[in-house]
Structure formats: structure tokens, C-alpha cells
Amino acid sequence: MEELDTVRAELLQSLPGDISRARNAYRRMAQAAALKMDAKSFAAHQTACKAGLSHLEGLIKLLRWASGPDAAESDKAKSPAMEEAEIRKLIAEARGALAGS
């Protein structure tokens, strides 16, 4: 159990920076691609965006795990309206990145 606590502590230190870097990389890629995108590259661009968002989602889930069972329980206690608001915010950020804002 002590080894697991060590892993959690290390993840809690490094994951916020990892998430920030992944988010910034996603935004840069989405903005740059949106400026150069033509109809032919649209599907590849959308696939890359989905992969970037999946990567971020995985990092966030790992951070929740590392935060311990209390964090996981608070996530489960969120209302569907709160989850929908978070999803809408993520979609708005993604659209903003695609629009080059």
C-alpha cells in the first residue's frame, strides 16, 4: 500500500503540469491546423482533435484516481446538469481553438 501511495503522490505532483502542456499542445495544433485546413484535410484534422481530447480525458481520469477515493466519490455525486455544463464549456473551448481565437 505504501508503494501505491508513493505513485499517487508522484502523479499528483506531475499530472497538473502534464495536463496543462497537453491542453496547450492541443490548442496550438487546433489553431494552426484551422488556419491551413482545406476540405481534404478536414477528416484528418478532426481525428487529431479527437485524439488530443481523449489524451486529456485520460490524464484527467488518472489525476482523479491519484487524488484518492474522496475525489472519485465527489465526481460521482455531480448532477447531470453540472456534467452537461462542463461538457458545454469543453466544447466551447474546442470551438474557440478551431476558430483561432
Side-chain angles (χ1 to χ4, degrees):
M1 192 65 164
E2 187 176 314
E3 291 174 358
L4 189 57
D5 290 338
T6 301
V7 169
R8 285 181 195 253
E10 289 174 0
L11 287 172
L12 285 172
Q13 286 182 346
S14 64
L15 279 171
D18 294 343
I19 290 169
S20 179
R21 281 187 294 280
R23 182 173 171 255
N24 290 337
Y26 168 78
R27 292 174 94 187
R28 283 190 310 272
M29 183 277 308
Q31 289 171 346
L35 296 173
K36 300 176 188 175
M37 191 168 38
D38 59 9
K40 185 177 180 182
S41 61
F42 182 77
H45 173 68
Q46 292 299 305
T47 300
C49 287
K50 287 178 186 178
L53 290 174
S54 293
H55 180 223
L56 281 170
E57 181 182 29
L59 290 173
I60 291 167
K61 286 180 180 180
L62 189 56
L63 181 61
R64 287 179 181 151
W65 172 83
S67 297
D70 292 339
E73 286 303 315
S74 74
D75 283 345
K76 288 180 185 174
K78 287 184 181 178
S79 71
M82 288 176 68
E83 288 180 5
E84 184 175 335
E86 289 177 5
I87 291 169
R88 287 180 190 266
K89 182 180 175 190
L90 286 173
I91 290 170
E93 287 179 3
R95 285 184 176 151
L98 289 172
S101 59

